[in-house]
Amino acid sequence: MTGTLVLAGTPIGDVDDAPPRLAAELAAAEVIAAEDTRRLRRLTQALGVHTTGRVVSYFEGNESARTPELVEALAGGARVLLVTDAGMPSVSDPGYRLVAAAVERDIKVTAVPGPSAVLTALAVSGLPVDRFCFEGFLPRKAGERLGRLREIADERRTLVYFEAPHRLDDTLAAMAEVLGATRRAAVCRELTKTYEEVKRGPLAELAAWAAEGVRGEITIVVEGAPEPGPQNLDAAELVRRVRVREEAGERRKEAIVAVAAELGLPKREVFDAVVAAKNAAVQQGPSEGKGLS
């Protein structure tokens, strides 16, 4: 029989947030793959857990090379526990390659649910939580970062990002430039730790605040794009759009209804613009009038 891969969520700050099952899995695992073996040692000491399984490192630098070894251990029947420095493995942390390889071999994959910086930040942000998307880390290079933000500028779901503290001011400034200076956001720093702080406000204000220097683990939550509202067009543009449709063969009444629906405007507003243009054309006379006849 094949073994089981267990993805174990670890505390993002306060060790008391560790679920009881984490301690049991750490004690029972035959192999423990840890992003940082020193942090694992501190965690087991804090939880009072004595591990008997083989401990190996599993981080970004050796993930590709270590995965086949762990898959073979799983195929041989071992219970392999994967832990990262904080939060859930594979969520912007090592783990995806191992999960994909285990699934490919029909090996059971389960999880010990635990703290999540994504969900914790989202919950305390004060921004809509009914629909959201996690975008991980933005690119480090300025041009690539702006390009990625432009790709998602019209996303209406709440956005969640991770960011390094030394890049926070540049990231917030780029967000203000692309998403809008007044777009609401929350910067969540050191969640569940001693110096936890949640700074809320428009992106431009948060960028100015971050320029003074911010330390700690950072999660950014950004309000989604607003629902598109009626377009703010002047009367002349409304008349032009009706005229274009009339010239294409539509009757005036049909053209007015179609333009109003297209722009999300009341039919009366388009109708009044057309009537005003017609009256103006009559007063100016045939040589000067440019409105509808």
Side-chain angles (χ1 to χ4, degrees), residues 125-136:
S125 69
L127 297 172
V129 299
D130 54 333
R131 299 177 66 225
F132 71 94
C133 57
F134 174 56
E135 288 290 307

Side-chain angles (χ1 to χ4, degrees), residues 230-271:
Q231 297 188 37
N232 186 21
L233 302 177
D234 61 21
E237 176 61 17
L238 300 180
V239 171
R240 186 193 69 79
R241 290 181 180 233
V242 170
R243 185 169 61 245
V244 167
R245 287 181 171 274
E246 283 190 280
E247 291 173 351
E250 288 186 18
R251 294 193 305 171
R252 179 166 296 176
K253 182 177 180 180
E254 295 170 346
I256 289 172
V257 171
V259 169
E262 176 188 350
L263 300 177
L265 296 172
K267 289 183 290 184
R268 186 72 191 184
E269 184 173 340
V270 182
F271 175 79

Side-chain angles (χ1 to χ4, degrees), residues 165-166 168-169 189 197 207-216:
H166 62 279
L168 180 62
D169 56 341
R189 186 180 72 85
E197 179 182 20
W209 163 77
E212 299 177 4
V214 177
R215 302 173 68 178

Side-chain angles (χ1 to χ4, degrees), residues 268-293:
R268 186 72 191 184
E269 184 173 340
V270 182
F271 175 79
D272 288 346
V274 170
V275 170
K278 180 180 178 181
N279 292 339
V282 171
Q283 292 175 2
Q284 291 175 353
S287 62
E288 299 179 13
K290 295 181 181 179
L292 296 170
S293 59

Side-chain angles (χ1 to χ4, degrees), residues 64-222:
S64 295
R66 184 77 79 185
T67 293
E69 172 191 333
L70 294 174
V71 170
E72 288 308 311
L74 288 162
R79 191 172 187 86
V80 176
L81 184 73
L82 176 60
V83 294
T84 54
D85 291 347
M88 282 300 298
S90 80
V91 180
S92 278
D93 276 331
Y96 168 75
R97 287 187 178 90
L98 181 55
V99 172
V103 170
E104 182 70 21
R105 294 281 293 269
D106 264 345
I107 295 168
K108 181 180 178 180
V109 180
T110 187
V112 178
S116 165
V118 175
L119 296 180
T120 303
L122 187 67
V124 302
S125 69
L127 297 172
V129 299
D130 54 333
R131 299 177 66 225
F132 71 94
C133 57
F134 174 56
E135 288 290 307
F137 286 90
L138 285 166
R140 297 183 181 185
K141 294 183 179 179
E144 295 177 4
R145 183 166 55 234
L146 288 171
R148 183 74 59 81
L149 287 169
R150 291 188 184 107
E151 290 176 3
I152 205 166
D154 295 327
E155 174 59 61
R156 295 178 194 169
R157 292 173 294 178
T158 299
L159 307 167
V160 185
Y161 294 90
F162 287 160
E163 190 51 279
H166 62 279
R167 290 196 298 269
L168 180 62
D169 56 341
D170 289 337
T171 293
L172 290 171
M175 288 179 170
E177 177 183 342
V178 176
L179 306 181
T182 60
R183 182 86 70 94
R184 294 186 300 162
V187 176
C188 305
R189 186 180 72 85
E190 295 288 88
L191 287 169
T192 78
K193 299 178 183 178
T194 302
Y195 298 103
E196 176 180 286
E197 179 182 20
V198 180
K199 190 75 173 179
R200 304 175 182 88
L203 281 169
E205 289 184 13
L206 291 175
W209 163 77
E212 299 177 4
V214 177
R215 302 173 68 178
E217 300 287 335
I218 303 294
T219 306
I220 307 171
V221 185
V222 185

